[in-house]
Amino acid sequence: MALTEDDWSQVTDWFDRLAELAPHAREDTLAGQELAPEVREWLDRLLAAHDTPEPMLVDRTIDAVAAELARGDGAPAPQDWTGQRIDAWRIVGEIQRGGMATVVLAERDDGQYERRVALKVLHAAVDGPAHRSSLEREIRLLAGLSHPGIVHLIDGGLSEQGWPYIAMEYVDGEPIDAWCDRTRASLEARVELVRQVAEAVAHAHAKLVVHADLKPGNVLVDDR
């Protein structure tokens, strides 16, 4: 159900007021308030998600990932990903490595079609149906995002080695702050970029998807 800007403003305002209250206190606070059905529906959904948080697979804490690695489930993450194969994708180079995951450049390698993607591979194996369900839920959420400022999901799943992965549209760009410095972007150009980023983030939020690591290095600008 789509919300207008005013509706969404009501949802977020009420969420801020109610999030830290006990359930009975929330109901007392809402008593007598005439909220539109769609506003109340989204408010209830946000509060339910707040009350029973289920961290997405890629956002699990370092401690949780370390515990999985200590159990030795799945193949250990290689020091050099180049040449590794993740299902139909062959890794041709590393883009960025973090403590929990590595983003690599990969090419389709099954002869069906040619495509380059940015492949995010978790270093820890999926353990049990709960984590598999978490991975599947994240893929469904990302598949529901459709915005020119958000990379498109192309593929995802669990590799033969036990590594969870997500294949995304590859953007040949540079971080937004570096691009602005290199091109000596005008104030108007910088404001326009911020506007585009804000629109993309708003689209994700409307789908109840929150980016847990939004920073200049994760916002790329290309030549298009």
Side-chain angles (χ1 to χ4, degrees), residues 85 87-90 107-115:
R85 188 182 174 99
D87 290 349
W89 306 96
R90 180 175 56 84
E107 295 178 339
R108 189 81 181 188
D109 194 35
D110 60 357
Q112 292 191 18
Y113 58 89
E114 295 183 359
R115 183 71 185 262

Side-chain angles (χ1 to χ4, degrees), residues 73-133:
D73 297 334
Q79 291 299 314
D80 183 5
W81 288 91
T82 304
Q84 293 285 333
R85 188 182 174 99
I86 304 290
D87 290 349
W89 306 96
R90 180 175 56 84
I91 297 173
V92 297
E94 186 173 308
I95 298 174
Q96 185 177 18
R97 180 183 289 261
M100 294 185 295
T102 298
V103 178
V104 297
L105 179 64
E107 295 178 339
R108 189 81 181 188
D109 194 35
D110 60 357
Q112 292 191 18
Y113 58 89
E114 295 183 359
R115 183 71 185 262
R116 279 195 160 193
V117 299
L119 201 68
K120 183 171 186 176
V121 191
L122 268 70
H123 300 163
V126 168
D127 178 30
H131 287 164
R132 289 178 184 273
S133 176

Side-chain angles (χ1 to χ4, degrees), residues 24-44:
H24 68 275
R26 292 173 182 170
E27 291 302 324
D28 291 343
T29 304
L30 286 171
Q33 299 293 330
E34 296 182 357
L35 299 181
E38 57 271 21
V39 171
R40 183 59 190 264
E41 177 186 347
W42 277 93
L43 177 60
D44 288 343

Side-chain angles (χ1 to χ4, degrees), residues 15-64:
F15 177 82
D16 289 340
R17 296 187 210 177
L18 301 175
E20 302 307 320
L21 299 180
H24 68 275
R26 292 173 182 170
E27 291 302 324
D28 291 343
T29 304
L30 286 171
Q33 299 293 330
E34 296 182 357
L35 299 181
E38 57 271 21
V39 171
R40 183 59 190 264
E41 177 186 347
W42 277 93
L43 177 60
D44 288 343
R45 291 174 64 180
L46 286 175
L47 290 171
H50 174 271
D51 293 342
T52 55
E54 294 185 37
M56 297 176 75
L57 190 61
V58 297
D59 293 327
R60 282 177 290 163
T61 64
I62 293 176
D63 288 342

